[in-house]
Amino acid sequence: MSRFLISRRSVLAGASGLLASTALPRILKAQEVPTGGRLIVAADSEPKNLNPAIVASNGVFFIASKVVEPLAEASFSGENGLEPRLALSWEGSADGRSVTFKLRDGVTWHDGEPFTSADVAFSAMEVWKPLQNLGRLVFANLEAVDTPDDLTAIFRFSEPTPLQLVRNALPVVTSVLPRHLYEGTDIEANPTNTELVGTGPFKFAEYKPGEYYRLERNPDYWGEGQPKLDEIVYRVLPDRAAAANALEAEEIQLAAFSAVPLADLARISQVDGIEVISKGYEALTYQLIVEINHRRQELADVKVRRAIAHAIDKDFVVKTVFLGYAETATGPVPKNAPEFYDPDVPTYDFDPDKANALLDEAGYPRGDGGVRFNLKLRPAPYFNETRQFGDYLRQALAEVGIDAEIVNADAPAHIQAVYTDHDFDLAVAPTVFRGDPAISTTILVQSGTPAGVPFSNQGGYENAELDTIIEEANTTIDTEKRTKLFNRFQTLVAEDLPLINVADWGFITVARSEVLNVADNPRWAVSNWADTGLAQ
């Protein structure tokens, strides 16, 4: 009998009529998990750069996190929600100007070289700070990393930096690279970016374009008795409907990140030997947003942006695009982040009459055929939901006289068009809230991000007051003051609408029942899977 498994974030997993039970995933102790076997997983995209120290995104982490490790990982039970990886401990100074990491001893890189503090220092100063899409903000004030011995790394900051921020960022921005393979090279063009060398439980084995990525067991992994699996094979299945068929045919054993379309969950949850699991994404709240190119004259007018917000029926989007597996968004911080969430921000109810009035006030009357102006709309291709919302948005805009032409592209072409060439007017994006606004949220609206940085403010939006608040929050070590700054941040974003937040959602994993220890941490799909195994 299959089971439908729900998480603590059931508020983001609606459609309660689909739930067959409230059983939890089978989480076993390490000694109870059999060793051996090949896990075959669905992959709906093919990242060309697999280096998570440069591109901190879930599409990259999904594969690379098994090979390249961070200093710490998210945890359901660990102190401050963290579990040690390459770092055993981290302690901040009272003035916020340093954080001392004690590192794990006896760790080796996959090529046999020892892991030391020099690798951490190199990764931080030469990769995370200058190159990484998220690390460049988290470590903006990092001025040096001292290495008094091989197992100590002391991060020194030019300005006070909240330990709260550093802790929250550890799983996402601190993937450590081997200095001996990168130093003195063009880091962004280094071949190790596609043939990874790490310290993780699995080694990169091969990649066959259009077919699969294959990882193999690291026999020298520092985790005692780990990993449990011999191999992980990511089978490239860009058609998400194919993932459900492959699971039923037992051609694959696991599909994460809602690779099985939501519309198929009710049916597949009744298939013997298949489990549907919503747990394991608690630290990965996805946000459906409309990115806006402020270089476009019409979109530079806040009245037009507010009109677009009023034209979107968020309740309809949640019910029809997400089938209830989401909730409407109020702003850039989701409701399930109570540490920072502010419920008292301006909101924009679905009101086409108000949208039309605002467009008239802005000086864009309807012309021939009732059209006010034309826009180029690029829905992100990563998920069915982003594409479906793009279709809905085109229709919603048409109702208020805006003719939006949808331009579809594969992932590399979409990223190039939006984040490098700025060849868009509106784009639909699935951004991620990662526990702290400074990690991956402020970058969406802060000015000054160079062209080519993915998942950032490439719409050319500038707001001096907002930039000042972001910068101040990044150097405020008083937690209460920092929270108030982010409350003001949310209000400004909701008032001026540099982007439009539509919905917040979590993902679903569908797995064959023989897969053990699924969803045992809040970032499970993008964690190392060292204790994941197969029932014999």
Side-chain angles (χ1 to χ4, degrees):
M1 179 69 177
S2 71
R3 297 175 291 160
F4 201 106
L5 311 176
I6 60 174
S7 76
R8 297 180 299 183
R9 281 175 58 202
S10 58
V11 67
L12 292 182
S16 58
L18 295 178
L19 303 181
S21 80
T22 58
L24 294 175
R26 286 189 293 166
I27 307 300
L28 304 181
K29 295 179 180 179
Q31 61 269 26
E32 299 173 332
V33 179
T35 299
R38 170 190 292 171
L39 177 64
I40 305 177
V41 182
D44 71 338
S45 64
E46 295 181 77
K48 296 301 185 281
N49 185 338
L50 284 173
N51 186 342
I54 295 176
V55 183
S57 75
N58 288 334
V60 172
F61 283 132
F62 187 41
I63 298 169
S65 60
K66 288 68 181 165
V67 180
V68 178
E69 295 186 293
L71 295 177
E73 184 54 272
S75 168
F76 285 129
S77 59
E79 184 178 358
N80 293 309
L82 292 173
E83 178 180 306
R85 285 290 188 267
L86 291 177
L88 294 175
S89 66
W90 37 91
E91 183 177 353
S93 62
D95 62 2
R97 290 181 180 269
S98 70
V99 179
T100 300
F101 293 90
K102 293 297 184 180
L103 306 177
R104 190 178 295 276
D105 194 9
V107 177
T108 59
W109 294 99
H110 293 158
D111 62 2
E113 292 293 317
F115 159 77
T116 72
S117 57
D119 297 305
V120 176
F122 173 82
S123 298
M125 295 302 299
E126 303 299 327
V127 189
W128 307 339
K129 176 181 168 71
L131 301 179
Q132 192 189 78
N133 54 325
L134 303 181
R136 66 177 67 224
L137 293 184
V138 174
F139 295 117
N141 295 317
L142 181 66
E143 61 180 1
V145 178
D146 296 342
T147 55
D149 58 61
D150 284 350
L151 299 178
T152 304
I154 304 172
F155 284 41
R156 300 200 180 277
F157 297 89
S158 59
E159 300 289 340
T161 298
L163 180 61
Q164 176 194 43
L165 167 60
V166 175
R167 278 199 314 254
N168 289 342
L170 290 179
V172 182
V173 304
T174 64
S175 297
V176 183
L177 301 181
R179 183 185 69 162
H180 64 282
L181 296 180
Y182 279 92
E183 191 171 39
T185 74
D186 180 344
I187 292 172
E188 293 180 286
N190 192 301
T192 313
N193 294 336
T194 55
E195 296 184 3
L196 300 174
V197 174
T199 59
F202 296 93
K203 294 182 175 183
F204 185 84
E206 62 179 324
Y207 164 51
K208 191 165 185 180
E211 295 190 30
Y212 61 84
Y213 298 86
R214 185 172 67 84
L215 311 180
E216 60 187 16
R217 186 177 190 274
N218 173 15
D220 301 314
Y221 185 55
W222 55 261
E224 185 177 355
Q226 296 177 332
K228 298 300 182 180
L229 296 166
D230 289 332
E231 284 186 321
I232 302 174
V233 175
Y234 293 85
R235 191 175 150 198
V236 177
L237 294 171
D239 178 2
R240 292 196 157 217
N245 295 333
L247 278 162
E248 292 185 74
E250 300 186 50
E251 295 171 355
I252 65 172
Q253 296 145 301
L254 186 141
F257 286 112
S258 296
V260 174
L262 297 179
D264 290 340
L265 292 182
R267 177 188 60 79
I268 204 167
S269 69
Q270 302 303 315
V271 175
D272 287 344
I274 288 180
E275 298 176 350
V276 181
I277 306 160
S278 64
K279 191 176 174 66
Y281 298 95
E282 288 78 357
L284 302 173
T285 300
Y286 270 70
Q287 301 174 288
L288 183 73
I289 68 166
V290 179
E291 295 177 293
I292 298 171
N293 193 337
H294 294 258
R295 301 172 186 85
R296 177 71 184 256
Q297 176 182 334
E298 296 90 341
L299 299 177
D301 189 330
V302 69
K303 289 183 178 179
V304 173
R305 301 197 295 273
R306 290 173 179 170
I308 292 172
H310 280 301
I312 299 171
D313 187 343
K314 295 181 180 179
D315 289 329
F316 178 84
V317 171
V318 166
K319 292 173 183 176
T320 59
V321 174
F322 292 97
L323 301 182
Y325 286 86
E327 63 181 355
T328 58
T330 59
V333 174
K335 298 171 187 174
N336 74 324
E339 184 177 14
F340 298 106
Y341 176 68
D342 182 0
D344 299 321
V345 300
T347 56
Y348 302 86
D349 295 335
F350 175 56
D351 190 340
D353 291 339
K354 179 66 173 177
N356 278 304
L358 284 166
L359 290 167
D360 289 338
E361 290 175 25
Y364 298 105
R366 291 179 183 266
D368 294 341
V371 175
R372 302 174 188 273
F373 53 84
N374 303 87
L375 295 177
K376 181 183 291 185
L377 170 60
R378 289 185 176 272
Y382 323 123
F383 306 113
N384 286 341
E385 293 74 25
T386 52
R387 293 190 291 264
Q388 290 169 4
F389 175 72
D391 291 335
Y392 163 78
L393 182 58
R394 179 184 62 79
Q395 297 173 36
L397 293 175
E399 291 295 317
V400 296
I402 300 173
D403 183 14
E405 175 193 4
I406 290 182
V407 180
N408 290 309
D410 62 15
H414 177 83
I415 291 173
Q416 175 75 24
V418 175
Y419 301 108
T420 299
D421 299 338
H422 307 146
D423 180 21
F424 75 104
D425 296 315
L426 301 177
V428 180
T431 58
V432 184
F433 185 83
R434 301 181 187 273
D436 191 300
I439 297 173
S440 58
T441 301
T442 57
I443 193 174
L444 301 173
V445 296
Q446 187 174 18
S447 66
T449 304
V453 177
F455 318 116
S456 65
N457 172 18
Q458 294 297 339
Y461 176 75
E462 295 183 6
N463 184 319
E465 182 182 0
L466 194 61
D467 286 348
T468 298
I469 288 171
I470 292 169
E471 291 168 5
E472 188 174 349
N474 286 344
T475 58
T476 298
I477 60 177
D478 183 292
T479 300
E480 183 177 350
K481 290 180 180 179
R482 189 166 182 263
T483 298
K484 288 181 179 178
L485 286 167
F486 279 130
N487 289 159
R488 178 60 181 157
F489 161 81
Q490 291 168 74
T491 297
L492 282 176
V493 171
E495 286 177 346
D496 207 34
L497 292 180
L499 47 78
I500 300 171
N501 287 83
V502 178
D504 302 323
W505 87 98
F507 282 104
I508 302 293
T509 297
V510 183
R512 303 291 310 182
S513 58
E514 67 264 23
V515 186
L516 305 174
N517 285 356
V518 174
D520 61 357
N521 75 63
R523 297 177 72 247
W524 181 78
V526 294
S527 65
N528 68 14
W529 294 5
D531 62 351
T532 298
L534 294 170
Q536 301 299 313

